């Protein structure tokens, strides 16, 4: 059994100072087996080391942000070069024009761009723009897509809506993915009130043929803007985004995460006639778009351009899809050999794999997910998901497949004799929940 003494001691101290013990709910101790939540000391490529000296192959890739791996040389070098020249100034830095030109050239739907620090700020700015442009208040979001923003307009739809005024709830409505009839019903229920429709291009379910063409048509018919959340899909599906893969024509789109290989950077891009409302206009009321002291930092933009260069030089998006495909094939083979394909399953695009752990009744189970995490950690695999980076080499893929193979007998015993005897502590819990 691995030793987690230093990590556990560290987290005991952290819990007294930081609410929840982490600054991202998905990184919380409650997302890992009891007393087996490693605290990371350092990382290189696809591997990380914790305070106790345990080494892991890391999947999940920095919550899907480090598409090139930890400490990727060209990105680190670009950042270091800019840091030595200053990090924040009272006026815009020259690199902002170059970065904007690169991104507008890259993203099919982009005519103007505004840089931010995180995805939530960018999606909220998009909502504000849509409301101003359409003179409407409601926003429609896809109910199957897990997260759009930390701001009230979205969090009010989640179980963690404490602290948000009740009247905010009526401003956000929901529709189902791949269901044009459901969105039509929403438009007809709230005639002339929906400013924007926001969704991701794809999570674990791919779009049906014609879905996005139909979505575009509905938005045009009912006068709403189409906002595409590319925080994950941008620079993971393709450097030009999922809109390039699927031929989607959004009015506004938002990028983040992988665009700077994990450095804090996001972007709102879209049609000029909409984006201009956040600028120097005197024919309409101005929209407070994005205005941040740390916005458009030269080192973050330098990181983005190094990422773009790498993607275009090395065809990174194709590499992510290929590596994820190899991982999927290896895992599904050992699971099938164990006769447990109906209990441990992979879902999603190869570059963005997640797993589902099911109980004896075939239902998704937090207890069985805990068992999976527990056994992976013991085998040197840190895997809240199986999201890969370009740094995952054949040895890391083999190690993950071997860990799944080792899990299978344990999983079967838990199915046959009860999960309670296999767990060392309490089950993990959903990251976004009402209490506890």
């Amino acid at each position: 059994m691995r030793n987690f003494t230093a990590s556990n001691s560290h987290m005991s101290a952290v819990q007294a100072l930081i609410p929840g013990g982490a600054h991202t709910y998905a990184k919380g101790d409650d997302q890992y087996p009891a007393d087996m939540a490693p605290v990371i000391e350092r990382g290189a490529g696809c591997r990380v080391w914790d305070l106790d000296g345990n080494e892991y192959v890391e999947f999940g890739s920095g919550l899907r942000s480090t598409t090139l791996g930890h400490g990727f040389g060209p990105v680190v070098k670009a950042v270091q070069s800019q840091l030595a020249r200053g990090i924040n100034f009272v006026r815009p830095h020259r690199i902002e024009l170059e970065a904007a030109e690169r991104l507008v050239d890259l993203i099919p739907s982009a005519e103007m761009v505004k840089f931010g620090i995180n995805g939530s700020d960018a999606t909220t700015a998009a909502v504000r723009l849509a409301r101003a442009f359409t003179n409407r208040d409601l926003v429609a979001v896809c109910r199957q897509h897990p997260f759009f923003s930390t701001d009230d307009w979205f969090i009010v739809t989640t179980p963690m809506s404490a602290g948000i005024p009740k009247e905010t709830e009526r401003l956000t409505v929901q529709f189902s993915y791949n269901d044009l009839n459901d969105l039509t019903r929403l438009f007809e229920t709230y005639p002339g009130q929906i400013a924007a429709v926001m969704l991701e291009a794809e999570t674990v379910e791919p779009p049906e043929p014609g879905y996005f063409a139909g979505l575009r048509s509905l938005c045009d018919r009912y006068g709403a803007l189409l906002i595409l959340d590319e925080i994950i899909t941008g620079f993971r599906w393709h450097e030009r985004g999922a809109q390039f893969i699927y031929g989607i024509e959004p009015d506004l789109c938002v990028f983040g995460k992988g665009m700077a290989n994990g450095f804090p950077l996001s972007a709102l891009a879209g049609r000029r006639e909409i984006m201009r409302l956040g600028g120097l206009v005197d024919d309409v009321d101005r929209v407070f778009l994005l205005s941040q002291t740390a916005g458009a930092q030269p080192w973050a933009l330098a990181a983005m351009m190094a990422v773009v260069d790498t993607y275009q030089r090395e065809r990174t998006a194709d590499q992510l899809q290929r590596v994820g495909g190899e991982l999927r094939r290896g895992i599904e083979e050992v699971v099938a050999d164990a006769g447990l394909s109906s209990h441990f399953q992979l879902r999603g695009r190869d570059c963005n794999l997640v797993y589902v752990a099911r109980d004896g009744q075939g239902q998704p189970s937090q207890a069985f997910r805990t068992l999976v995490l527990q056994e992976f950690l013991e085998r040197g695999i840190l895997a809240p998901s199986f999201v890969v980076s370009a740094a995952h080499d054949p040895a890391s893929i083999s190690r993950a497949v071997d860990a799944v193979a080792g899990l299978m007998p344990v999983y079967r015993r838990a199915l046959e004799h009860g999960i309670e005897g296999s767990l060392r502590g309490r089950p993990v819990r959903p990251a976004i929940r009402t209490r506890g």
Side-chain angles (χ1 to χ4, degrees), residues 23-249:
H23 291 91
T24 307
Y25 287 113
K27 297 182 181 182
D29 285 7
D30 57 346
Q31 302 303 291
Y32 290 86
D35 299 323
M36 294 182 71
V39 176
I40 305 303
E41 176 71 27
R42 62 187 177 92
C46 67
R47 291 168 174 80
V48 296
W49 288 261
D50 69 13
L51 294 181
D52 293 278
N54 298 312
E55 182 228 348
Y56 306 90
V57 175
E58 183 202 64
F59 291 91
S61 301
L63 302 183
R64 296 173 170 83
S65 67
T66 53
T67 57
L68 299 172
H70 301 296
F72 183 73
V75 173
V76 171
K77 184 177 180 180
V79 170
Q80 289 174 331
S81 177
Q82 285 297 332
L83 287 176
R85 302 172 186 173
I87 63 170
N88 207 348
F89 305 96
V90 74
R91 284 281 294 151
H93 188 275
R94 63 162 185 81
I95 199 174
E96 294 174 36
L97 173 61
E98 182 182 359
E101 289 174 336
R102 292 291 297 275
L103 208 61
V104 167
D105 181 64
L106 199 67
I107 301 172
S109 63
E111 294 177 342
M112 297 186 79
V113 62
K114 184 89 168 183
F115 292 108
I117 299 171
N118 60 66
S120 290
D121 292 340
T123 54
T124 294
V127 166
R128 202 177 293 129
L129 266 182
R131 285 172 168 162
F133 187 79
T134 62
N135 197 29
R136 299 174 176 183
D137 292 336
L138 303 190
V139 178
V141 298
C142 181
R143 61 170 54 88
Q144 286 87 2
H145 296 170
F147 202 85
F148 290 106
S149 177
T150 59
D151 291 301
D152 287 2
W153 66 268
F154 173 71
I155 294 299
V156 74
T157 70
T158 77
M160 287 182 70
S161 59
I164 301 175
K166 193 68 176 174
E167 55 266 28
T168 304
E169 187 174 343
R170 69 173 184 85
L171 297 175
T172 306
V173 294
Q174 296 178 296
F175 64 94
S176 293
Y177 186 68
N178 270 334
D179 189 343
L180 294 175
N181 290 331
D182 191 43
L183 183 58
T184 301
R185 176 195 57 77
L186 212 56
F187 278 125
E188 293 177 350
T189 302
Y190 302 98
Q193 299 177 63
I194 297 177
V197 172
M198 182 181 290
L199 77 168
E200 297 182 62
E202 181 180 7
T203 53
V204 297
E205 179 185 358
E208 294 179 355
Y211 176 66
F212 280 107
L215 193 67
R216 177 72 270 174
S217 179
L218 279 178
C219 288
D220 291 342
R221 184 191 313 167
Y222 290 97
L225 299 190
L226 175 56
I227 302 174
L228 190 64
D229 181 342
E230 297 245 39
I231 300 295
I232 292 172
T233 56
F235 289 87
R236 182 160 288 279
W237 270 237
H238 197 279
E239 64 269 24
R240 297 180 185 272
Q243 60 189 273
F244 177 78
I245 298 290
Y246 291 123
I248 307 167
E249 299 179 4

